């Protein structure tokens, strides 16, 4: 009998009770500059756990202050950040769900106002900061981007260490899954793509060199993450820049095996985000799932699929048809915090998921 949406998934020694995952989605809801989780984060993430999702991932959580997208981004660069996140992970676990954190560095796409304020580049005297990138020629929109430094070897070493230390803090905070964010045009993706990386050292040029940093970061996180808990890596399968020498699905398939060798247990397959000229396909149902399917066929690691997943029947079919191991649901979870509970009812599987005792009379 094939797996379905409500079959548990065990990765290493961690059991995810069902295949519904809350995708990382930035909330831009910290007090400006401090990166500390707030009541908004507790209610936002906690309500999705109440809603039945087997795995609840935080938004992109910056491993250092320069790794934020906006001053209101969530962070994990100090023990205070771990302390602020600990009550959230405790609540998620109390619901029988698994808390996960996405560790991130925005790189060249940082130092912006939040989207509600226009995503306008911020200069240092406006609360912004100098951003980091593999190369100094690469803008990402805005009339006057903040100053960017081409990273030297010390910067690269510091970033690897920042991911490692942040993983240790995340573990102290009670997270059970650590995801490395290497997608959507942020720092690690910038190193991967020849569109953003014109280096001629050991971190640029060849496929081996351009993938070196994400492999080092994945290995560093794996080194400090317990053997019985999984590490994920989110990748952009393609830059959606067909007319340029860019990152492609074939590159992603090739990288996925190397990431598995570095300690990744699941590849979270998204796409795009690197350059404003990207040609995004019409976002119909499952529009990014074929990328995940390609990766799944080529690697021993588990795979998560994203993109236009809006119904329980659709998510269930992804698992039943062996297209992915997790259905990673973003925007639909903003519309419906109880997506998993409602999917179980829609599919006639309410006996396969445990709603909170307070809600049992309706589910």
């Amino acid at each position: 009998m094939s797996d379905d949406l409500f079959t548990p998934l065990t990765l290493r020694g961690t059991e995810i009770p069902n295949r519904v995952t809350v995708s990382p989605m930035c909330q831009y809801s910290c007090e400006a500059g401090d990166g500390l989780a707030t009541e908004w984060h507790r209610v936002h993430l906690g309500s999705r756990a109440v809603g039945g999702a087997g795995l609840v991932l935080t938004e992109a959580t910056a491993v250092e202050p320069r790794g934020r997208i906006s001053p209101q981004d969530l962070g994990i660069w100090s023990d205070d950040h771990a302390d602020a996140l600990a009550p959230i992970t405790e609540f998620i676990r109390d619901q029988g769900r698994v808390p996960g954190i996405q560790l991130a560095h925005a790189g060249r796409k940082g130092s912006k106002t939040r989207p509600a304020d226009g995503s306008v580049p911020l200069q240092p005297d406006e609360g912004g900061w100098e951003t980091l990138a593999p190369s100094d020629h690469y803008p990402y929109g805005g009339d006057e981007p903040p100053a960017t430094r081409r990273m030297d070897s010390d910067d690269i070493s510091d970033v690897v260490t920042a991911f490692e230390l942040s993983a240790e803090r995340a573990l102290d905070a009670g997270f059970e899954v650590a995801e490395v964010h290497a997608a959507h045009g942020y720092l690690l993706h910038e190193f991967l793509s020849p569109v953003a990386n014109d280096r001629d050292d050991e971190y640029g040029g060849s496929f081996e060199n351009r993938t070196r940093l994400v492999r080092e970061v994945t290995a560093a996180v794996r080194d400090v993450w317990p053997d019985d808990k999984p590490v994920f890596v989110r990748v952009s399968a393609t830059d959606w820049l067909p007319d340029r020498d860019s990152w492609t699905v074939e590159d992603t398939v090739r990288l996925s095996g190397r990431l598995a060798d570095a300690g990744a247990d699941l590849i979270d397959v998204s796409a795009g985000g690197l350059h404003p000229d990207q040609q995004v396909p019409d976002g119909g149902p499952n529009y990014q799932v074929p990328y995940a399917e390609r990766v799944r066929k080529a690697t021993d690691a588990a795979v998560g699929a994203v993109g236009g997943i809006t119904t329980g029947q659709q998510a269930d079919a992804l698992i039943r048809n062996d297209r992915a191991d997790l259905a990673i649901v973003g925007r639909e979870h903003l519309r419906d915090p109880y997506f998993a509970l409602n999917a179980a009812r829609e599919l006639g599987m309410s006996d396969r998921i445990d709603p909170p005792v307070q809600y049992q009379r309706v589910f």
Side-chain angles (χ1 to χ4, degrees):
M1 182 176 179
S2 63
D3 291 342
D4 59 44
L5 191 61
F6 294 99
T7 303
L9 175 66
T10 299
L11 297 171
R12 294 187 177 254
T14 298
E15 182 179 273
I16 299 170
N18 61 62
R19 306 302 181 90
V20 178
T21 297
V22 178
S23 187
M25 292 177 283
C26 289
Q27 298 297 295
Y28 304 103
S29 294
C30 297
E31 294 296 324
D34 70 13
L36 296 171
T38 66
E39 284 296 286
W40 176 266
H41 298 95
R42 187 171 72 89
V43 173
H44 167 69
L45 296 169
S47 64
R48 274 75 194 167
V50 168
L55 172 61
V56 180
L57 289 167
T58 70
E59 64 197 78
T61 307
V63 299
E64 64 167 8
R66 293 176 302 181
R68 295 169 295 162
I69 306 165
S70 81
Q72 288 80 20
D73 279 18
L74 191 63
I76 186 80
W77 62 79
S78 77
D79 292 344
D80 288 342
H81 293 92
D83 291 343
L85 287 161
I88 298 174
T89 65
E90 182 179 10
F91 183 85
I92 293 170
R93 291 195 309 274
D94 284 349
Q95 311 315 306
R97 317 305 176 196
V98 175
I101 187 168
Q102 186 183 71
L103 303 173
H105 196 297
R108 185 66 184 81
K109 289 179 75 175
S111 196
K112 302 280 185 67
T113 62
R114 56 188 170 183
D117 299 323
S119 295
V120 178
L122 283 170
Q123 303 305 317
D125 61 357
E126 301 170 321
W129 53 91
E130 178 186 60
T131 61
L132 298 177
S135 306
D136 58 11
H137 74 292
Y138 170 58
Y140 191 95
D143 295 330
E144 190 180 350
T148 296
R149 185 165 80 249
R150 180 185 186 276
M151 295 171 67
D152 60 24
S153 59
D154 288 339
D155 293 321
I156 291 172
S157 177
D158 288 346
V159 163
V160 175
T161 299
F163 272 93
E164 181 177 23
L165 293 176
S166 292
E168 290 180 334
R169 295 187 190 101
L171 185 64
D172 290 341
F175 288 100
E176 297 180 51
V177 172
E179 176 168 277
V180 174
H181 195 358
H184 300 163
Y186 299 121
L187 183 65
L188 300 184
H189 184 187
E190 291 166 18
F191 271 85
L192 292 175
S193 176
V195 174
N197 182 349
D198 65 0
R199 302 173 73 95
D200 59 5
D201 62 3
E202 66 269 33
Y203 290 94
S206 68
F207 174 90
E208 180 75 14
N209 287 350
R210 285 184 286 110
T211 63
R212 189 182 307 279
L213 181 56
V214 68
R215 290 185 284 110
E216 289 180 345
V217 167
T218 301
V221 172
R222 179 73 272 169
D223 281 348
V224 299
W225 207 244
D227 288 342
D228 62 344
K229 299 183 188 300
V231 171
F232 293 7
V233 181
R234 171 164 273 195
V235 296
S236 279
T238 171
D239 289 340
W240 283 326
L241 295 167
D243 300 326
R244 303 192 190 193
D245 179 19
S246 62
W247 186 258
T248 67
V249 178
E250 290 73 24
D251 291 326
T252 298
V253 169
R254 184 179 175 190
L255 173 63
S256 296
R258 301 296 304 277
L259 291 175
D261 292 342
D265 302 291
L266 181 140
I267 310 300
D268 175 354
V269 184
S270 187
L274 183 83
H275 197 281
D277 292 341
Q278 65 184 7
Q279 299 177 30
V280 182
D282 292 337
N286 292 347
Y287 75 105
Q288 296 184 68
V289 171
Y291 305 140
E293 197 169 15
R294 286 276 303 274
V295 172
R296 194 174 190 272
K297 290 177 179 178
T299 179
D300 292 333
V303 170
V306 307
I309 302 171
T310 60
T311 71
Q313 186 174 21
Q314 180 188 2
D316 184 53
L318 294 179
I319 308 304
R320 287 184 184 271
N321 295 326
D322 293 327
R323 303 186 75 186
D325 300 285
L326 288 179
I328 301 177
V329 180
R331 295 183 184 190
E332 196 61 28
H333 263 126
L334 298 183
R335 300 182 187 102
D336 179 9
Y338 309 106
F339 175 84
L341 292 177
N342 285 322
R345 184 171 59 174
E346 171 193 341
L347 295 165
M349 297 183 183
S350 293
D351 60 329
R352 303 276 302 283
I353 189 170
D354 293 325
V357 64
Q358 297 92 333
Y359 292 0
Q360 284 179 357
R361 63 183 180 273
V362 293
F363 287 101

